Amino acid sequence: MRNRRTAASLIAASAVAALIPALTPATATAADTAGAPRAATQQQFAQQKLDWKRCDPKAPATFQCATVRVPLDYGRPQGKKLDIAISRIKASAPDQRRGVLLLNPGGPGGAGLDMPVYMSEQLPTSVKSRYDLIGFDPRGVGQSAPVTCGLSYEEQMSDRPYKAATFPSDVRWARTVAKKCAAANGARLPHLTTRNTARDMDAIRAALGEKKVSYLGYSYGTYLGAVYAQMFPARADRFVLDSAVDPRRIWRGMIQIWAEGAEPAFDRWTRWTAERDATYALGKSPREVRGTFWKLVARADRDPIVIDGQKITGDDIRAGRAVFFSVREAAEAVVELKKAADGGKPRLARLPDILKPAAPPTFGRAAAAEDNGTAAFWSVVCADTRDWPRDPETYRRDAIRDKAKYPLYGDFASNITPCAFWGKGSEPATKVDNRVPSLILQNEWDSQTPLPSGVGAHRALKGSRMVTVAGGEGHGIYGSGSCADKTATTYLTTGKLPARDLTCQAPEPKHQKSVRLPSPTAGR
């Protein structure tokens, strides 16, 4: 899932018209191979001759790129084709090589082509010696037939608080985005789904000549991995699902879970900050800290805070709810916002990343359209499931209810989206219910996939084991030096899952090292 105001390229976070006949039955089974590539098509994939070349002169010489040709519609394998951009860094010890490790950074809308480069800096040698690291841009993203809807910057901004006066314009925005995406992409749009991306992963496997694939997926990538394991259980080797999406909450529920998770995180922040009043001077009790914050929000709504030329309203502050999952960063950010509101000069370095996100490296390649990340996000989120309400009044009622229930972010999470006007998806949402072995890693205080989301994924993936990092902050674990890293490395190198679920303890909150993942999209 995506972060707010991220560079268009997750998540992500976080687009329609002519629908194709369903390729799967309404209820998916534990071995959900319905709509999978036919045997003849699989043979075509396996016979593809991949033309590996150095990805870019600015990239390491070991970083190679190629393309795999796949059907746009797997129900019509001889029809229109797409080129899926893939990349690799070969295993560093060929005599120890086990196979390939496919990588996905999340989103939907996150480009993964460059992942082998920056993950090679974060993964241990024991993993890199055994696996070719394989990156790829999912269909519709980056270098893989990128989708665009011609959206302006403002049209990409999807963080919209509910207000009675502005709700009609929110409805117009949602309708406009859906209409633009339909006009720009037509019949190919319904094929940009997680199920088809999973089929593409299997095409990549076949083209690489591998019987099985191992996998490391973050955030949305955990759902992609779960769907692959559901559709191709016999071809899933060692799967690490980091910061997991609950398959049973696809997709509106996964946006709403941001509000549900923000409230306990905010309460924890008020307690932590009150214990450090001598440092932050925001209040000596959780109640006082809470009061300071909400007074700042109300003040910014009346008179926006200007920071580096950018006006920050109270709604903008609430939309930055993710910062409260990192208590120290949140305390420092609120101090600086309060300083700016009082006429002082804030230290921009102390403000949360929602104000100035970093863009991922592209090694000089031509970028996709500016709205590619946002367009890809809505494409997948709206087409993956048929459960989106169609009546705008449903969103109004839910936003009013959830603003009262979850004051920090509830109205944002339940407000209307373009999916209300998207039309039905090409296939039902995948029912994930299998016993394929996998390892789930989950921080206790993850802003994008809060702990209940990881627990839900663990429940759906009956063959999984879960490592919970108690007190762990941030989105993305493996490769950050977390206490969970050792378990993941052991699993990838030996295939041995823990005998039971584990909990390990994170250190005292500080500016911790984070997994380096691209920010896939603008607007959330």
Side-chain angles (χ1 to χ4, degrees), residues 45 48 50 67-71 81-84 203:
F45 295 148
Q48 288 193 47
L50 299 182
T67 59
V68 174
R69 202 156 178 79
V70 302
K81 301 295 193 296
L82 299 177
D83 285 336
I84 303 299

Side-chain angles (χ1 to χ4, degrees), residues 130-155:
R130 288 169 170 81
Y131 293 98
D132 296 348
L133 303 182
I134 306 295
F136 67 102
D137 283 350
R139 57 170 55 203
V141 176
Q143 306 299 308
S144 296
V147 64
T148 178
C149 300
L151 302 178
S152 68
Y153 177 79
E154 288 302 319
E155 287 169 338

Side-chain angles (χ1 to χ4, degrees), residues 217-220 222 240-246 254 257 325 439-458 465-478 480 482-485 487-488 502-506:
Y218 294 86
S219 193
Y220 162 73
T222 65
V240 177
L241 308 179
D242 190 316
S243 309
V245 167
D246 184 348
M254 278 306 303
I257 205 171
F325 288 80
L439 181 65
I440 295 173
L441 308 181
Q442 188 69 39
N443 273 331
E444 181 181 9
W445 299 106
D446 184 322
S447 61
Q448 303 306 104
T449 53
L451 181 58
S453 177
V455 171
H458 183 30
R465 291 289 184 268
M466 182 169 173
V467 181
T468 304
V469 182
E473 298 180 344
H475 189 51
I477 297 173
Y478 190 41
S480 68
S482 164
C483 59
D485 279 13
T487 303
L502 302 176
T503 298
C504 64
Q505 185 66 48

